[in-house]
Amino acid sequence: MALLRITDRAVEALSVEGNDAIFWDRVLLGFGVRVYPSGAKTYIVQTRTDGRSRRVTVGRHGELSAAQARRRAALVIARIKAGEDPVPARAAVDRDLGPPVTVAELAERYLERHVATQLKPATMSSYRSALDRWILPSLGETPVTEVGDEHVAALHESLRDMPYRANQVVHILSTMFALAETWGLRAEGTHPVRKIRKYDELRRERSLTQDEYRRLGKVLDEIEAEAGAKRGGWVRRSAAAALRLLMLTGCRRNEVLTLRWADVNRKAGIVRLRNGGTAARVVPLTPATASVLDGLRRLSGNPWVLVGARRGGRLSNLNEHWLRVRARAGLDGVRLHDLRHSFVARALSLGESGPMVGRLLGRASVHEDGLSPEAVSAAAARVAAAIAADLGMQIQRR
């Protein structure tokens, strides 16, 4: 039995001599195209119900595109299995479903119904970027019903030099086409991403050396000094403070950027983080961290610790500031996430245990590791003090 993925291009290339032949689709079972020696081609459906086989003509190639025929075939099969007359389905397909849904249209529905409702804004931004940069330029105008595993494999292969991005694209497409089946935009069991094997992703994490910390500290000191004499200087101060906080606490970027003054409890010596990778958590307010906060001015009407350019707003894009800082410090290639990894490396070098490091990073709770808040505060202070010393910060004892 000849199997192929039925597309317009594939059907155009088919020919037979002597006798007519049927070529079956390898994705939608029961959907085929009969090719005659004369060159005529007819789309058909064959399926079984109640113990007997039924074959229905869907339409002629040329009058129908392969995509239209596939959609009609899927509906015909569903009607046959439901014990209904398959013929009315031919007119119903175009009336009820309208023109074929493209990958670009599926992407918008995916972002609105899935990503925006279930994932964080940062994830939505990352996924939209992947769609705009790689997926839509390649597949955007393709009907959802026409995308096969060969299309996904080709796109994945084209990104082989960026294994993380290549795998992210496959993950996005996998979810999109699973939802397409759920939403009735594609026949069930036709997922085109099932056979794609993801690339191995090499870990790129690195930790800063004492000299690199020193260079970063020098650049941040310079930026803070320059900011005082420039319009919009508080934004630059916010960016410098954000980078210091990331280094001194090991917190995630969004945990720092969404910090409010109301979350800083100096009396209790804690800071509440409300935008972590999991639930809201509490971290110690160490002398080094407090010193950074003391250098920031609390603006009237603005609840954010790290203010942005807009009145009452917060700093939101730290990446562009980091790129300038790392270039000035001669640290090309170092990522913001490497600051968190550097915190871990320094903690371990100071003899902190694995469970303690997990607590400092917010990966465990007191109920899981049994560490007291006092022990965690002391460990956080030790690590922060060591990093602050490398940054050249002067910390006042409290």
Side-chain angles (χ1 to χ4, degrees):
M1 181 171 61
L3 293 175
L4 75 160
R5 176 164 180 80
I6 294 178
T7 63
D8 285 333
R9 180 178 296 181
V11 173
E12 290 291 343
L14 294 176
S15 64
V16 295
E17 295 182 3
N19 297 315
D20 58 306
I22 297 176
F23 298 83
W24 299 102
D25 190 62
R26 58 183 172 84
V27 177
L28 178 58
L29 299 182
F31 173 46
V33 58
R34 183 191 291 274
V35 181
Y36 297 89
S38 64
K41 296 156 186 175
T42 303
Y43 295 108
I44 64 171
V45 160
Q46 182 168 307
T47 188
R48 295 185 67 84
T49 180
D50 297 329
R52 63 190 184 93
S53 178
R54 293 199 60 179
R55 179 175 292 180
V56 177
T57 299
V58 174
R60 291 175 61 87
H61 177 66
E63 297 175 359
L64 293 178
S65 69
Q68 291 171 325
R70 182 186 300 278
R71 293 161 66 227
R72 286 188 177 181
L75 214 60
V76 167
I77 292 172
R79 292 180 67 90
I80 290 175
K81 291 187 176 296
E84 301 174 357
D85 182 359
V87 177
R90 298 183 187 178
V93 174
D94 292 333
R95 184 184 69 244
D96 296 340
L97 298 183
V101 174
T102 65
V103 172
E105 292 168 330
L106 172 61
E108 284 304 311
R109 189 179 301 192
Y110 159 75
L111 288 170
E112 292 174 4
R113 296 190 185 181
H114 177 73
V115 177
T117 60
Q118 299 189 35
L119 302 177
K120 291 187 175 181
T123 304
M124 183 173 184
S125 176
S126 176
Y127 283 14
R128 182 175 284 279
S129 175
L131 283 161
D132 291 341
R133 293 183 64 183
W134 298 297
I135 297 175
L136 297 185
S138 176
L139 300 173
E141 298 304 315
T142 307
V144 170
T145 53
E146 287 296 293
V147 177
D149 50 15
E150 68 274 16
H151 298 103
V152 180
L155 179 56
H156 190 235
E157 171 70 14
S158 71
L159 298 173
R160 63 186 178 277
D161 293 335
M162 300 182 289
Y164 171 79
R165 294 302 180 190
N167 293 342
Q168 183 188 47
V169 162
V170 167
H171 172 74
I172 292 171
L173 287 173
S174 178
T175 305
M176 281 175 54
F177 280 96
L179 290 171
E181 293 184 13
T182 300
W183 294 332
L185 303 178
R186 187 177 171 109
E188 292 186 11
T190 63
H191 202 305
V193 193
R194 291 172 296 178
K195 298 179 181 179
I196 305 299
R197 183 175 180 178
K198 292 184 177 181
Y199 295 119
D200 291 332
E201 297 177 21
L202 299 177
R203 295 182 68 85
R204 299 180 297 159
E205 294 172 339
R206 57 158 294 187
S207 56
L208 297 172
T209 65
Q210 286 184 308
D211 178 65
E212 288 172 333
Y213 272 125
R214 179 187 61 77
R215 284 148 56 189
L216 275 176
K218 183 174 182 294
V219 170
L220 293 176
D221 287 342
E222 293 171 352
I223 289 176
E224 289 168 335
E226 295 166 0
K230 293 183 178 180
R231 183 178 181 181
W234 281 107
V235 177
R236 297 180 181 84
R237 281 187 172 274
S238 288
L243 295 174
R244 291 188 190 276
L245 291 173
L246 289 175
M247 288 186 278
L248 296 172
T249 65
C251 287
R252 301 174 181 88
R253 175 178 52 189
N254 282 346
E255 289 177 330
V256 167
L257 292 180
T258 57
L259 184 62
R260 299 170 183 262
W261 286 112
D263 297 326
V264 179
N265 190 330
R266 293 179 180 271
K267 184 176 181 180
I270 60 172
V271 176
R272 182 172 295 278
L273 303 174
R274 302 182 182 276
N275 195 39
T278 54
R281 66 186 180 98
V282 171
V283 297
L285 177 61
T286 66
T289 301
S291 178
V292 175
L293 298 178
D294 289 343
L296 296 172
R297 187 173 67 181
R298 188 166 181 171
L299 301 182
S300 177
N302 192 324
W304 305 105
V305 171
L306 301 169
V307 300
R310 293 185 178 181
R311 183 179 181 85
R314 67 172 177 85
L315 182 68
S316 58
N317 187 358
L318 187 58
N319 285 333
E320 62 181 38
H321 295 284
W322 169 244
L323 292 177
R324 287 195 290 267
V325 168
R326 77 175 190 183
R328 196 161 162 179
L331 298 176
D332 291 345
V334 178
R335 303 167 304 152
L336 272 175
H337 183 70
D338 291 327
L339 303 184
R340 181 170 164 88
H341 184 68
S342 297
F343 180 89
V344 173
R346 179 55 61 90
L348 293 174
S349 72
L350 293 174
E352 304 298 344
S353 66
M356 177 61 79
V357 173
R359 275 293 295 280
L360 295 176
L361 295 180
R363 294 174 179 168
S365 69
V366 65
H367 304 294
E368 297 170 333
D369 55 35
L371 296 170
S372 69
E374 293 77 16
V376 175
S377 293
R382 284 192 295 271
V383 179
I387 294 174
D390 288 345
L391 291 171
M393 293 175 57
Q394 300 296 319
I395 307 300
Q396 295 183 352
R397 293 188 174 276
R398 295 174 178 272

